[in-house]
Amino acid sequence: MRGKRIRLLADHGELDVLREIRRRGAEGERGGGLRLGIGDDCALLRVRDGEELAVTTDLSIAGRHFRLDWHPPESVGHRTLARGLSDLAAMGARPVAAFLSLGVPRELTLRKGRRGSWVERFYNGLFQLAEAHKTPLAGGDLAESPVALADIVLVGAVPAGKALLRSAARPRDLVYVTGNLGGAAAGLSSLAEFAAKRRLVLSDPAAAPSELSPHLYPQPRVRQGLALQRRALATAAIDLSDGLSTDLLHLCEESSVGAIIDASRLPVAEGASPDQALHGGEDYELLFTARPTTKIPRAIAGTPITRIGEVTRGQTGRAPLTIISGSGLKPLQPRGWQHFSDL
Amino acid sequence: MRGKRIRLLADHGELDVLREIRRRGAEGERGGGLRLGIGDDCALLRVRDGEELAVTTDLSIAGRHFRLDWHPPESVGHRTLARGLSDLAAMGARPVAAFLSLGVPRELTLRKGRRGSWVERFYNGLFQLAEAHKTPLAGGDLAESPVALADIVLVGAVPAGKALLRSAARPRDLVYVTGNLGGAAAGLSSLAEFAAKRRLVLSDPAAAPSELSPHLYPQPRVRQGLALQRRALATAAIDLSDGLSTDLLHLCEESSVGAIIDASRLPVAEGASPDQALHGGEDYELLFTARPTTKIPRAIAGTPITRIGEVTRGQTGRAPLTIISGSGLKPLQPRGWQHFSDL
């Protein structure tokens, strides 16, 4: 985060926020791999000898990935960071540092009520999740923009050669997921209803109905991904950002395999439909494969693990995904997450 | 760069571009530190034992950092990467990988004439500079956006404890710059004149008058920064993105020192005014300090080095920067780069 952009908001009387960003960003400097944070041309990070770096970027744009009139700013900050942390989780990497480029229209920097400006509330949501995962904000950029947008970068570390890849699933591996599925899609659907009835949940995020939580405040499975990597439990992994049917297809394509899913085994979240569990996006659970001989615990770090299917040999000309249910076997089409502009 | 966003443009018949991005992005994988590029949840990078990572992000937004009606797309791609490479140069770090989050309105993905779409031409400009500095594009994100924007992330490596910081200048150090100053500001001014006369330089960037080059295609001083670091020549460094008067102030503030600049020594670029050399931004030259006993070469990697002043003791209540010229000594006010929206 360089001087000139800090000044951009400082000119608007936002110095307090920026001091706070620098202070809270620096909190992680004591431990972890961050050696030099905000204030120079680059941040400096250190990882352990023999570790590789995992790096991911995710761009969120108002109207496409979130809506200013639906999502509390704390939720937008939380979700922005959750997307990046979830990518690290899917590689089995430990978070080292985050970088945020934030572009906002000028009015979002203005203080509104006792909770502060949109920007302050966005950072509050982001920092709360960052602190839960001991991830310092090491830098970024802050600029005025006609549309609100946030690009998050996560840098993680993983022992060389030990990262969980999408490409290493093998036929006869079993397919597992963490947690429950469909809760984020069900929450989004409720959020849309709330918005249609003008019962906005923007003003006090603590008062938002709990059914919205899986959508507004998804929990990235960083500890679970780390455990899978450290205990060498998984052959391949991906995070469920687009939806089970779509992300499983990504994993199968990268591994040149197919998969069969047992509908009766899907851990459907409370309030969600089986369809939302199969195709709803943004649950940020992990999907992983393991050798049939590997003993997988029922839960990792308090999150249940469910076996939902099996990896099959990929066959040219055949749909790679199949689902088995009461009505028998049929192809499973990827019908994953559509962005807001497509709703 | 994750599957879903690749599909976003693929749906618009842009598959060729995306194959090309993946292919050209992967070219760096053979050498360097990139172990796994586009296609998984994260990219994997490897640095040498004993090295630290330097990470920087820079957000560019249409209408603020570039203008779609002024800048050829190749220039926007070039300038986006140049900003990030220049930050690495200022730390004395070698580039390891770049990540790009690109947001564009749909019409910029449509093919126009034999040079291709705006997006294709943007990537051409970016890749040309990336290849010159052997920097692979390891990932990123691609999304539809109501405004064109590009967030660039550069990851570099530098031996632990050897990075050139802004904060290590000491009184009696001498102040140097690489190359010439003011060329980018003069080029921008010419570009504005061209645009006002509707003599656009957008269609064929090769035909753009050479006086525009310092603005359209600035050369980040990566080799020079590396040499300063490896040969332990500099005490502190910063890149000139905002303009000499502003960036020198940043360095002085971080080092708690002052500086005196000799106006007669400034290496003013051809066609530029002394004012543009002092305050014009985006030259992407390096400003550095060195002990008075250190012998600094006249040129590094073909770029001349000029001594322009001296570091002084910082004094409370006094302006930290002073300039000496024919009319004597006077305070030097930071009047650095204003973004387009402020023009």
Side-chain angles (χ1 to χ4, degrees), chain A residues 2 4-5 35 40-41 43-45 52-55 59 83 87 101 140-141 151 166 239 241-242, chain B residues 2 4-5 35 40-41 43-45 52-55 57 59 83 87 101 140-141 151 166 239 241-242:
Chain A
R2 302 171 61 195
K4 61 181 160 186
R5 286 121 213 162
R35 306 242 306 160
D40 214 307
D41 293 290
L44 292 175
L45 310 178
E52 283 178 346
L53 295 159
V55 184
L59 178 61
R83 286 180 71 186
D87 283 328
S101 290
D141 212 334
D151 192 33
R166 294 181 179 182
D239 70 316
S241 53
D242 292 357
Chain B
R2 300 171 62 194
K4 61 182 159 184
R5 288 120 213 164
R35 305 243 306 160
D40 213 306
D41 294 290
L44 292 175
L45 310 178
E52 283 177 347
L53 295 159
V55 184
T57 76
L59 179 60
R83 286 180 71 187
D87 283 328
S101 291
D141 212 333
D151 192 32
R166 294 181 178 181
D239 71 317
S241 53
D242 292 358

Side-chain angles (χ1 to χ4, degrees), chain A residues 48-92:
Chain A
R48 299 168 196 148
D49 286 352
E51 278 187 330
E52 283 178 346
L53 295 159
V55 184
T56 178
T57 76
D58 282 289
L59 178 61
S60 301
I61 302 180
R64 173 154 287 270
H65 304 88
F66 61 92
R67 287 181 60 151
L68 290 173
D69 55 344
W70 286 15
H71 293 89
E74 291 85 355
S75 165
V76 181
H78 178 106
R79 285 159 47 89
T80 295
L81 183 63
R83 286 180 71 186
L85 284 173
S86 185
D87 283 328
L88 290 187
M91 304 295 279

Side-chain angles (χ1 to χ4, degrees), chain A residues 177-225:
Chain A
V177 289
T178 62
N180 296 321
L181 303 180
L188 173 59
S189 166
S190 300
L191 185 63
E193 281 171 34
F194 270 89
K197 292 177 191 154
R198 298 184 165 274
R199 286 165 59 197
L200 295 175
V201 292
L202 289 174
S203 52
D204 185 0
S210 64
E211 74 209 69
L212 303 185
S213 291
H215 174 74
L216 295 180
Y217 301 99
Q219 296 303 318
R221 300 305 186 187
V222 175
R223 289 174 196 88
Q224 291 74 13

